[in-house]
Amino acid sequence: KSIKDKEICVTGAGGSIGSELCRQIIKRSPKKLILIELNELNLYNIETELNDLNTSNIQIRSCLGDARDNFYISKIMGEEKIDIIFNASAFKHVPMVELNPIQGIINNVISTWNICQAALENNISKVILVSTDKAVRPTNVMGASKRLSELIVQAYANSVSNKNEKGEKNTYFCMVRF
């Protein structure tokens, strides 16, 4: 109901979680599905699969780029009339992030910050962060970076600048732990 005839954006659209979100979203008849993905092959693969599933001529826009790039994310959100963003862009593999902690933190935290800021600036209705159970009392860098991402989403949800003159929220920020 919340997806039908809406413009939906999925960041990390070619990843394991993002691609499954796209498969489920396209079945629910959005007006448009915007895919943001850094990995060219993953973006190509999910776009090809979605085009095969797309029996209702839903517009699909594939955007090859990095959610850590604030200018890039702001540009897409400024060009599109996005209703809902599913933020699934993250490094999620604990051993890989443990070996590359700085990149894990930068990717998971900065991308979340950029997406929240651009959503607020462009009056996006809803932002949903896909987090992880590893963010609960984290014992590794990946879990800690996702917990920090959750705190960013909570801060935007509670921000005074996220309210209109009537005190109502402009953008609904929420998260789910997967």
Side-chain angles (χ1 to χ4, degrees):
K1 188 167 143 179
S2 64
I3 290 173
K4 186 174 175 56
D5 297 322
K6 300 287 183 4
E7 293 199 16
I8 310 296
C9 176
V10 178
T11 67
S16 57
I17 295 170
S19 61
E20 185 58 31
L21 277 170
C22 291
R23 289 180 198 103
Q24 297 302 317
I25 289 166
I26 201 139
K27 292 176 187 176
R28 284 148 181 84
S29 303
K31 179 180 178 183
K32 187 174 193 177
L33 181 55
I34 301 151
L35 316 172
I36 300 177
E37 175 58 52
L38 179 59
N39 182 291
E40 179 188 21
L41 180 59
N42 288 355
L43 182 60
Y44 173 79
N45 287 339
I46 191 61
E47 178 189 43
T48 301
E49 183 180 344
L50 293 173
N51 281 329
D52 290 343
L53 295 172
N54 188 3
T55 58
S56 302
N57 293 322
I58 296 160
Q59 292 179 19
I60 299 172
R61 179 179 175 198
S62 293
C63 303
L64 181 62
D66 192 342
R68 293 172 292 186
D69 182 338
N70 187 46
F71 178 77
Y72 176 76
I73 291 297
S74 294
K75 183 176 183 291
I76 291 171
M77 291 191 199
E79 292 171 353
E80 301 291 345
K81 294 185 180 353
I82 298 168
D83 295 296
I84 302 170
I85 299 169
F86 289 89
N87 178 14
S89 64
F91 291 158
K92 299 173 182 78
H93 296 93
V94 172
M96 193 60 65
V97 175
E98 289 299 305
L99 291 171
N100 302 279
I102 301 301
Q103 290 305 311
I105 293 166
I106 289 170
N107 187 69
N108 295 351
V109 174
I110 299 302
S111 62
T112 300
W113 185 289
N114 288 342
I115 290 161
C116 289
Q117 186 60 39
L120 192 61
E121 290 169 357
N122 290 284
N123 296 313
I124 308 289
S125 297
K126 188 182 292 184
V127 175
I128 303 165
L129 171 68
V130 178
S131 190
T132 172
D133 59 350
K134 291 170 183 65
V136 180
R137 291 187 293 288
T139 60
N140 54 61
V141 176
M142 192 282 287
S145 70
K146 292 301 284 181
R147 179 64 184 134
L148 186 51
S149 296
E150 290 179 359
L151 292 172
I152 290 167
V153 171
Q154 287 175 331
Y156 272 91
N158 296 324
S159 171
V160 173
S161 61
N162 187 27
K163 294 190 170 68
N164 63 22
E165 56 279 347
K166 294 179 182 177
E168 302 163 327
K169 291 186 179 192
N170 292 319
T171 302
Y172 182 75
F173 292 93
C174 60
M175 65 195 85
V176 60
R177 288 184 174 150
F178 181 73

